[in-house]
Amino acid sequence: MKSSVRILLLSLGFLFVAVSCKKTVKTEEQPVDTYVADHYTKKEVDIVMRDGVKLHTTIYSPKDTSQKYPILMQRTPYSSRPYGEGNFRTKIGPNEILMKEGNIIVYQDVRGRWLSEGHYENMRAYIPNKTSNDQVDESSDTYDTIDWLVNNVENNNGNVGVWGISYPGFYATYATIDAHPALKAASPQACIGDFFFDDFHHNGAYLLSYFRATSLFGTPRPNGDQPIDTAWYTLPELPTQDQYQFFLDAGPLKNLDHFFEYDTADTPTMRPEGVTDDYFWNELKDHPNYDAMWQSKGLIQHLKDVKSSVATMIVGGWFDAEDLSGPLETYKNIEKYNKGNYNTMVFGPWDHGGWARTVDRNVVGNYYFGDSISLFFQKKIETKFFNHFLKGDGSPNSGLPEAYVFDTGRKEWKQYDTWPPTNASKQTMYLSEDQELTSQPKSTTGIQFISDIKKPVPYSEDIKTVFTPRKYMTDDQRFAARRSDVLVFETEPLAEDLTLAGDILANLKVATTGTAADWIVKVIDVHPADTETNEEMQDHLKMSNYHLMVRSEVMRGRFRNSFSDPEPFVPNQKTEVDIKLQDVFHTFKKGHRLQVQVQSTWFPLIDLNPQTYVDNIFNADESDFKTQTHTVFTDSNIEFTVLK
């Protein structure tokens, strides 16, 4: 008994000492960065648009008024906070160099968001040939804003540039259409081009991994859509960290409606069946095909008349899981339809917005690409672009190339006069028997696999719940290669370097026992066994035999002939399905293998296809989901763009 008491007293003593020590530990306070407050004055104004709606705008002007400065503007749906003229951001502008050089930096809440008046429309449709002041879009709002700024902000030099990443990149692209004469430079970065091919869809397949992002764009503002300075939306909270199991257990998409029934004071609790309070979720559900609604919101088709007075520099990341189609298609369409415009592209080894970060080691997921790559971009490319067109002579001779692109295999920058490079050509490889990827077709046969809807192929081996996916773009694909429902085709170890520089087209010949199916193609760089492991690698992985995913894409089979008019498969009938994979710039080095994987599920990156045809997968019932047997024929091929 005495021993027990002694042990208890000793334990309490240790606990007291531990608690006492914990109380005396001082955390080192980080110094507050006051550079912006020290060097800039801040002003908040409400700029009146042509239809009378006021847009809340924040203006940071250099305190040094001995010279005139250009205006650099970002329009955003994500808030121009912090609000209040005494509250400053710690960083402003596209990068720290441009901030410290001195520029007038402007942020604006777009129409219908935060402290701006009006009603928000997700990807507001462009209105050509406007006939009245009541016809407004993001182009007219940008024009009216620039017009006010150049006429009312002191010490501006009359030149304006716009930039933005992701959704703000969409607004930066929008600014180039019917552009104000003062707009001299635009840098759309990771810019959304069309929500049927970026972010929430890929080739018509719904990206279930973006589920939690829905309410960010579809929650109505309270109090009759009045301006508000605090977040009025909340992200759905999943009751688990295992999103794969959660969505598998949830079943059909319509079972997720309850996450978007907000029952706020402004929304009635009695709603029609299948209609939620979230207008973006309703749009997704009601428009499963590329109909007039999606087509009107797409911006790519309106880039045929970008003003020649606006220099454009499109920026993107080769491993951007969110917006890769948008920046590539934005560059290509401006280039195609606006001969003589200054239009360039910069693509590096980044995930979404990685080029704006100030990190020394540039890593995407597990994969290390080199040091100071983003810092190089900010100093030698982005700053040079804006300074030339906003402070310099603005001539076409900017000192920057047409295409500044990073080879993600060799891990080095290259410069080209065109993209793809003029010395690139098409090379076809065939999906042959015995897991071979061959330069010549062999005998034609069918390779079958069972697509079990109860055990879909994961897109990542990580157990996680994410807001939007990023890391998977460079994930090791060994976990998938070892599944029976993933077909693998690969070359022998390469005898010499092979550089892919441009788009990829998968020409599949397939069949299914059902009437619907998705088809996913992944292009993979299989590393040699002696490859050294970098410090960022997850503990359970090694770089030895690492299966680096270089590019991947899905085609929802119903859209194989038309994104607007879907059609079922005829069971067991051989059918062509073409899948365009976005551009790459990657060298498969000598000793590496080029591998292609083909599968039909990719969960929960994309939603589960019932594998029986229904008019709208968002309305599918549990009974519609069927396990099917799929076939890939060995006369299928992949057309690569190869640099000679």
Side-chain angles (χ1 to χ4, degrees):
M1 184 74 174
K2 290 181 180 178
S3 297
S4 300
V5 172
R6 188 179 297 112
I7 292 170
L8 177 60
L9 290 173
L10 285 170
S11 300
L12 290 172
F14 284 130
L15 179 62
F16 175 77
V17 170
V19 171
S20 299
C21 290
K22 187 174 182 181
K23 287 181 179 178
T24 58
V25 172
K26 293 183 178 180
T27 57
E28 185 178 345
E29 292 186 5
Q30 296 295 322
V32 178
D33 188 342
T34 61
Y35 184 90
V36 177
D38 293 342
H39 293 83
Y40 284 83
T41 58
K42 179 185 176 186
K43 185 178 182 180
E44 296 185 19
V45 297
D46 292 326
I47 301 176
V48 182
M49 300 294 101
R50 63 189 64 182
D51 64 343
V53 167
K54 298 175 182 177
L55 301 189
H56 190 78
T57 309
T58 300
I59 305 166
Y60 293 89
S61 298
K63 289 182 177 179
D64 179 3
T65 58
S66 63
Q67 58 179 304
K68 294 183 181 297
Y69 301 93
I71 296 170
L72 272 168
M73 179 172 67
Q74 180 184 107
R75 305 185 67 245
T76 177
Y78 299 132
S79 174
S80 59
R81 291 180 295 182
Y83 297 116
E85 293 191 353
N87 300 319
F88 287 77
R89 294 190 178 204
T90 56
K91 295 287 187 292
I92 57 174
N95 63 53
E96 191 170 295
I97 302 165
L98 288 165
M99 175 183 77
K100 292 185 175 180
E101 281 186 356
N103 287 279
I104 298 168
I105 309 296
V106 175
Y107 294 92
Q108 184 178 74
D109 294 336
V110 298
R111 181 179 291 256
R113 298 290 284 188
W114 297 90
L115 284 182
S116 284
E117 296 178 348
H119 177 67
Y120 173 68
E121 289 186 21
N122 202 10
M123 299 282 285
R124 188 183 302 272
Y126 168 66
I127 304 172
N129 304 316
K130 301 175 183 65
T131 57
S132 73
N133 287 339
D134 293 330
Q135 292 185 313
V136 293
D137 54 23
E138 305 304 338
S139 173
S140 65
D141 282 354
T142 307
Y143 188 104
D144 294 350
T145 299
I146 291 175
D147 197 63
W148 189 94
L149 291 171
V150 295
N151 286 294
N152 291 277
V153 176
E154 295 181 355
N155 291 317
N156 83 83
N157 70 359
N159 294 335
V160 178
V162 294
W163 94 98
I165 298 173
S166 194
Y167 215 138
F170 165 79
Y171 295 113
T173 306
Y174 225 131
T176 68
I177 304 171
D178 299 334
H180 191 283
L183 182 64
K184 304 301 183 183
S187 184
Q189 303 178 0
C191 44
I192 304 166
D194 192 314
F195 262 167
F196 207 71
F197 303 97
D198 278 311
D199 285 313
F200 291 90
H201 298 91
H202 276 209
N203 289 330
Y206 169 59
L207 262 71
L208 187 57
S209 52
Y210 283 78
F211 171 78
R212 295 186 66 232
T214 307
S215 57
L216 179 62
F217 303 109
T219 306
R221 286 193 299 186
N223 302 319
D225 207 7
Q226 290 300 303
I228 185 171
D229 64 0
T230 55
W232 63 96
Y233 50 81
T234 57
L235 305 182
E237 289 297 330
L238 305 188
T240 175
Q241 293 184 351
D242 187 348
Q243 62 180 7
Y244 179 99
Q245 195 62 49
F246 169 79
F247 285 117
L248 196 63
D249 292 342
L253 290 174
K254 64 181 181 180
N255 292 346
L256 301 174
D257 280 359
H258 65 92
F259 282 98
F260 304 109
E261 295 171 352
Y262 305 134
D263 290 337
T264 63
D266 288 358
T267 55
T269 55
M270 297 297 290
R271 62 179 64 82
E273 183 69 26
V275 177
T276 71
D277 297 312
D278 192 291
Y279 50 82
F280 186 41
W281 181 248
N282 291 336
E283 280 185 347
L284 291 167
K285 287 162 51 73
D286 295 343
H287 301 273
N289 308 324
Y290 194 52
D291 57 14
M293 189 276 289
W294 292 117
Q295 292 174 33
S296 70
K297 292 174 179 287
L299 195 57
I300 299 299
Q301 58 267 39
H302 297 297
L303 299 179
K304 295 182 178 181
D305 189 24
V306 172
K307 297 292 185 182
S308 60
S309 56
V310 183
T312 50
M313 183 178 75
I314 316 302
V315 181
W318 290 129
F319 298 101
D320 188 343
E322 301 178 45
D323 300 300
L324 181 57
S325 171
L328 284 168
E329 293 303 313
T330 297
Y331 166 76
K332 291 178 180 179
N333 278 272
I334 293 176
E335 193 69 13
K336 179 179 179 181
Y337 294 108
N338 303 274
K339 303 298 182 183
N341 278 31
Y342 183 97
N343 178 49
T344 61
M345 60 177 280
V346 182
F347 273 74
W350 300 303
D351 60 4
H352 194 61
W355 50 91
R357 300 181 194 123
T358 54
V359 294
D360 291 325
R361 288 177 64 85
N362 284 177
V363 179
V364 178
N366 288 311
Y367 206 83
Y368 166 71
F369 289 100
D371 291 340
S372 302
I373 300 171
S374 299
L375 298 174
F376 172 83
F377 162 76
Q378 293 166 30
K379 183 177 182 179
K380 298 296 185 180
I381 303 176
E382 185 175 48
T383 297
K384 190 173 185 177
F385 169 77
F386 279 119
N387 282 348
H388 178 76
F389 289 101
L390 301 181
K391 297 179 179 179
D393 62 18
S395 67
N397 185 19
S398 67
L400 294 170
E402 175 77 16
Y404 224 139
V405 287
F406 192 91
D407 184 329
T408 55
R410 285 202 176 98
K411 301 183 180 179
E412 61 185 22
W413 285 104
K414 293 289 186 181
Q415 301 181 33
Y416 295 104
D417 295 332
T418 61
W419 184 262
T422 53
N423 55 337
S425 60
K426 301 299 183 182
Q427 182 174 325
T428 301
M429 295 187 181
Y430 292 85
L431 310 185
S432 298
E433 289 184 274
D434 300 323
Q435 298 191 356
E436 289 186 321
L437 186 63
T438 61
S439 58
Q440 297 296 327
K442 294 189 174 182
S443 59
T444 301
T445 187
I447 306 173
Q448 293 187 334
F449 64 96
I450 296 173
S451 180
D452 187 343
I453 58 162
K454 297 297 185 182
K455 296 181 180 180
V457 180
Y459 80 94
S460 171
E461 63 178 345
D462 295 347
I463 303 301
K464 59 186 177 182
T465 297
V466 296
F467 175 59
T468 56
R470 291 192 180 183
K471 172 182 168 291
Y472 86 97
M473 291 288 282
T474 60
D475 266 355
D476 187 351
Q477 297 299 307
R478 273 176 284 200
F479 76 94
R482 294 165 181 171
R483 286 181 58 115
S484 60
D485 51 358
V486 177
L487 303 185
V488 175
F489 308 89
E490 70 178 19
T491 65
E492 292 296 321
L494 297 173
E496 58 184 17
D497 290 356
L498 175 68
T499 301
L500 307 185
D503 61 4
I504 302 169
L505 181 63
N507 304 291
L508 299 186
K509 311 292 193 299
V510 299
T512 174
T513 55
T515 51
D518 293 334
W519 302 96
I520 296 100
V521 170
K522 298 183 288 190
V523 177
I524 293 157
D525 183 345
V526 180
H527 288 49
D530 60 356
T531 308
E532 293 185 6
T533 300
N534 54 280
E535 62 186 59
E536 292 84 3
M537 184 68 64
Q538 288 173 282
D539 291 340
H540 69 286
L541 293 174
K542 297 291 184 254
M543 194 57 73
S544 176
N545 197 39
Y546 194 88
H547 284 37
L548 170 68
M549 190 167 72
V550 173
R551 187 59 72 240
S552 55
E553 193 55 277
V554 58
M555 171 60 74
R556 179 135 284 175
R558 63 176 54 216
F559 298 123
R560 63 193 180 277
N561 294 320
S562 169
F563 290 110
S564 302
D565 300 306
E567 57 188 285
F569 286 92
V570 176
N572 301 311
Q573 178 174 299
K574 188 176 182 179
T575 306
E576 292 187 10
V577 176
D578 294 337
I579 308 174
K580 177 188 175 185
L581 285 74
Q582 300 299 338
D583 295 32
V584 299
F585 186 36
H586 185 87
T587 295
F588 292 76
K589 300 178 81 172
K590 178 181 177 181
H592 291 226
R593 296 173 185 258
L594 170 56
Q595 183 185 99
V596 171
Q597 292 183 5
V598 180
Q599 59 200 63
S600 64
T601 51
W602 212 13
F603 192 76
L605 182 68
I606 61 171
D607 64 314
L608 199 58
N609 193 316
Q611 304 192 137
T612 55
Y613 187 84
V614 294
D615 288 336
N616 186 347
I617 293 178
F618 281 91
N619 296 329
D621 295 319
E622 189 80 45
S623 59
D624 294 319
F625 291 78
K626 304 288 185 184
T627 292
Q628 305 289 356
T629 298
H630 300 326
T631 302
V632 175
F633 294 92
T634 55
D635 52 346
S636 299
N637 64 72
I638 312 291
E639 187 179 272
F640 297 106
T641 306
V642 177
L643 193 63
K644 298 299 184 182

